[in-house]
Amino acid sequence: MNILVINGPNLNMLGIREPEIYGKATYADLLEQIKAEAERLGVEVSFVQSNSEGDLVDAIQCAYGRQDGIIINPAAYTHTSIALLDAVKAVGIPTIEVHLSDPDTREEFRKTSYIREACIATVKGRGFSGYLDALRLLVESCRE
Ligand code: DQA
């Protein structure tokens, strides 16, 4: 089973950006934790991070026929991008939306998620653990 983990804009700045919201651990730390959990579960995991919306659309399209599941934190594009929603709908791959914080309890503009309706689940407000939860959920749903 192959799982693609996609992170959107500014998530490469984890550890530096707003540590009071996102914590002090880095993007590299996040990848290590996900890799360890993937190994435990016996699944292959690969990663894409980009600050560009088009690159994220390309990554989703590229997953077609190659990946069994997608975990995506679209970051700020969550609240703006119909293109990401359409890409997830287009490939039809089971996808889970993840957020480190809980955008629904923050500013009003963070309460809209365009991608949510195309996802099988949303995990939010659980920090790095949210990605591990999402991985377990995807593996369970793919093995059903
Ligand atoms: C985020 C929440 C978004 O509102 C924000 O733009 C991010 C990160 C999160 O993981 O909590 O960049 O997706």
Side-chain angles (χ1 to χ4, degrees):
M1 188 176 299
N2 296 306
I3 307 288
L4 175 64
V5 180
I6 301 177
N7 278 292
N10 302 305
L11 291 166
N12 56 316
M13 297 291 282
L14 286 176
I16 298 168
R17 74 179 289 211
E18 300 175 275
E20 65 288 357
I21 298 175
Y22 300 113
K24 288 186 180 154
T26 65
Y27 178 68
D29 296 332
L30 173 63
L31 268 44
E32 282 314 308
Q33 290 193 23
I34 297 171
K35 278 183 206 159
E37 186 63 12
E39 202 173 313
R40 202 187 63 78
L41 293 165
V43 299
E44 296 297 320
V45 74
S46 51
F47 301 95
V48 170
Q49 189 280 325
S50 178
N51 297 322
S52 307
E53 187 177 12
D55 288 350
L56 298 171
V57 171
D58 288 344
I60 294 166
Q61 289 187 6
C62 200
Y64 183 73
R66 293 190 174 93
Q67 304 287 343
D68 303 299
I70 297 175
I71 293 169
I72 185 165
N73 183 346
Y77 292 135
T78 308
H79 319 300
T80 61
S81 181
I82 298 167
L84 289 179
L85 165 68
D86 285 348
V88 172
K89 282 186 173 172
V91 296
I93 299 170
T95 297
I96 298 187
E97 174 193 17
V98 172
H99 299 284
L100 295 157
S101 67
D102 182 353
D104 295 322
T105 61
R106 297 176 61 191
E107 301 95 324
E108 228 17 70
F109 60 82
R110 292 186 204 275
K111 291 184 179 158
T112 299
S113 167
Y114 284 102
I115 208 165
R116 193 157 301 170
E117 69 167 80
C119 294
I120 61 168
T122 296
V123 183
K124 52 192 176 73
R126 298 205 10 84
F128 284 9
S129 309
Y131 288 80
L132 311 183
D133 292 345
L135 192 56
R136 288 189 287 266
L137 270 172
L138 261 185
V139 169
E140 269 166 37
S141 81
C142 289
R143 283 182 178 156
E144 262 166 20

